[in-house]
Amino acid sequence: MKKFFLSGVLAVLLLGLVPFVSAKVKIGGIVFTDFYYLDRNGANAEFSGVGDGPYTVTTIQVPDITRLYATWTNEDNVGMYIELGIGQEDGEIDQNQSNGVNLRHAYGWWQVTPGFQLMAGKSTTPFSPLNPSQLLGTRSGSLNIVGVGYGNFYSGRFAQIRGTYQFCKNARVALALVDPNGSARYIGTNGPWSDFGIATQNNTKIPRIDISLPVFFGPVSLYPSFMYQHRTVDANGAPGGSVDNDLNSYIGSLGFKFGMGPLMLSGEGNWGKNWGNTRGLIGNSVPAIISSAMLDPFNNRIDDADTYSYWFDLSYGFGAITPHVIFGEMSTSNKILGFDLDAKSRMWGFSVPIDLSKGFRIRPEVMWYDDGELKVQNVGDLDMGKYAIYGVQFQVTF
């Protein structure tokens, strides 16, 4: 209740400022309502913690991607943007739906010159900027939003300082210094992932570095980007003594868009190490869960996780209807106590946004998800199962 009250006060203050300053203010919002049927097979229900047999459920949810936003700009090329997410925050269907408010964006900028902008605050980073058109099931328990965990790395929204330079008509470069003190959302803790009860301490000296260089050639747009984060880890209490080691997270990304009339093909691929030890939204599929560096206390070392992911989205517009065909895959290789771990997940399906009226859109969506198998050396393959989501999302925008 307190959060809602503060949000209302913020909106009133922004509105009250409009008549008294030489500036422009725009306020808007989007309400998302998910109505879907979730069907998990027995192995996936067990992996998801909802039972030991096939699990099916129908639900209607307002996930916290529902949002309110306000933009403010003045005559000196200075601006500010604030966006609040409102709705269900937890990820389980069969529990009380905890509704609340979260800060999605809060940043300001100064357009120093026509070609250079300085930005500071919380927002998406310039790394891995593209997303497939998958939106149904944010609170399914498997975090089904823009394909994270099944092919997409979402850059997330984090505190940063960023400069963007438009050095020619068809290209720009963006460099962001991002807070390095965190891990991927929903994935473990800040240190190497382990179940050995050994305390780890993380140390950082420099920010995470995200850089992108999008270029545009007529119907083709390319989005190369890279991120790098360095920290050191002290693991005390290991049987062989303490472990002092560098822990580096880095990811290279290449996205593309090709458009010709109503036809659009987009996609993005990412590859790197220790995704789970840096900030980002990578889902909670098996490859995401094991994407953090693993502590091997018996050999006094930290083993890196190797992860790749990719997705494709093919769409064709028919007036107010734009069907999308989507495919994605994520894979991680790692070690636990010297034994190899491998996991792979996939998604495929259809998402069809339909504009029925100005500000009112529905999105029928059918997606199949395969959590694959967790392969453990000398142990065997653990089946994580499959599931599907069938439903429609309602979207109202003002």
Side-chain angles (χ1 to χ4, degrees):
M1 181 63 70
K2 183 178 179 181
K3 290 182 178 179
F4 282 110
F5 175 74
L6 292 176
S7 302
V9 171
L10 174 63
V12 171
L13 288 175
L14 286 173
L15 287 170
L17 287 173
V18 175
F20 302 106
V21 297
S22 178
K24 295 180 180 179
V25 174
K26 178 182 178 182
I27 294 177
I30 307 174
V31 175
F32 293 94
T33 303
D34 289 356
F35 176 28
Y36 61 91
Y37 174 77
L38 171 64
D39 183 11
R40 299 187 188 273
N41 68 9
N44 192 258
E46 186 174 359
F47 164 60
S48 303
V50 294
D52 56 3
Y55 173 81
T56 61
V57 63
T58 296
T59 188
I60 303 175
Q61 301 170 317
V62 177
D64 62 357
I65 59 173
T66 294
R67 64 199 68 161
L68 288 171
Y69 66 85
T71 304
W72 169 88
T73 56
N74 70 11
E75 70 280 6
D76 290 329
N77 299 318
V78 173
M80 179 180 70
Y81 181 80
I82 295 178
E83 182 177 300
L84 302 176
I86 302 171
Q88 183 178 341
E89 294 179 301
D90 61 37
E92 301 301 327
I93 291 176
D94 59 349
Q95 297 178 357
N96 293 331
Q97 296 185 3
S98 174
N99 296 312
V101 178
N102 66 84
L103 183 65
R104 291 172 59 88
H105 296 268
Y107 64 89
W109 70 89
W110 175 30
Q111 194 70 40
V112 183
T113 71
F116 178 69
Q117 183 187 88
L118 179 64
M119 183 270 269
K122 178 181 179 179
S123 187
T124 54
T125 83
F127 171 73
S128 187
L130 303 184
N131 300 298
S133 186
Q134 181 278 306
L135 291 181
L136 187 63
T138 305
R139 296 304 170 209
S140 67
S142 296
L143 194 62
N144 301 110
I145 181 70
V146 295
V148 296
Y150 299 91
N152 188 32
F153 183 105
Y154 178 63
S155 65
R157 300 176 295 273
F158 309 116
Q160 64 190 278
I161 300 170
R162 183 167 78 202
T164 304
Y165 179 60
Q166 186 88 31
F167 60 88
C168 71
K169 181 180 179 181
N170 299 322
R172 65 178 182 269
V173 62
L175 174 66
L177 302 180
V178 184
D179 176 63
N181 304 299
S183 59
R185 191 177 180 189
Y186 301 108
I187 306 300
T189 61
N190 295 348
W193 182 84
S194 71
D195 286 325
F196 307 116
I198 296 174
T200 59
Q201 176 178 306
N202 291 274
N203 307 288
T204 59
K205 292 183 179 179
I206 59 174
R208 193 179 96 175
I209 300 171
D210 288 24
I211 187 169
S212 68
L213 181 63
V215 291
F216 312 98
F217 307 98
V220 178
S221 301
L222 298 177
Y223 299 84
S225 59
F226 182 77
M227 64 75 58
Y228 172 77
Q229 175 179 290
H230 173 75
R231 61 174 53 161
T232 58
V233 177
D234 298 334
N236 298 312
S242 64
V243 176
D244 297 320
N245 210 336
D246 291 332
L247 178 54
N248 296 308
S249 297
Y250 61 83
I251 310 174
S253 176
L254 179 61
F256 74 91
K257 288 183 179 180
F258 171 78
M260 186 171 291
L263 177 69
M264 173 67 74
L265 174 63
S266 60
E268 192 171 68
N270 298 278
W271 177 87
K273 290 182 180 293
N274 303 327
W275 292 20
N277 297 106
T278 189
R279 295 184 183 275
L281 189 59
I282 59 176
N284 56 11
S285 63
V286 183
I289 291 172
I290 66 170
S291 67
S292 298
M294 295 279 193
L295 174 65
D296 184 350
F298 303 105
N299 293 294
N300 292 327
R301 71 172 186 236
I302 293 175
D303 293 316
D304 293 327
D306 295 302
T307 302
Y308 73 79
S309 70
Y310 66 88
W311 58 267
F312 297 101
D313 185 328
L314 177 65
S315 64
Y316 192 92
F318 299 90
I321 305 174
T322 307
H324 292 254
V325 180
I326 300 165
F327 177 84
E329 181 177 283
M330 182 178 185
S331 177
T332 296
S333 297
N334 207 334
K335 290 181 181 293
I336 183 167
L337 298 180
F339 295 100
D340 292 336
L341 295 176
D342 292 283
K344 184 178 292 185
S345 61
R346 292 189 180 95
M347 67 173 178
W348 61 94
F350 310 91
S351 187
V352 188
I354 305 171
D355 293 321
L356 298 180
S357 184
K358 183 178 180 180
F360 192 93
R361 168 182 288 184
I362 63 171
R363 178 187 293 267
E365 189 170 290
V366 178
M367 293 291 297
W368 293 271
Y369 300 93
D370 186 352
D371 279 313
E373 297 175 335
L374 175 61
K375 301 179 183 295
V376 184
Q377 183 184 7
N378 296 337
V379 174
D381 300 341
L382 306 176
D383 184 15
M384 298 301 171
K386 303 177 181 180
Y387 65 99
I389 294 179
Y390 316 94
V392 60
Q393 183 182 78
F394 297 82
Q395 177 181 333
V396 180
T397 305
F398 75 93

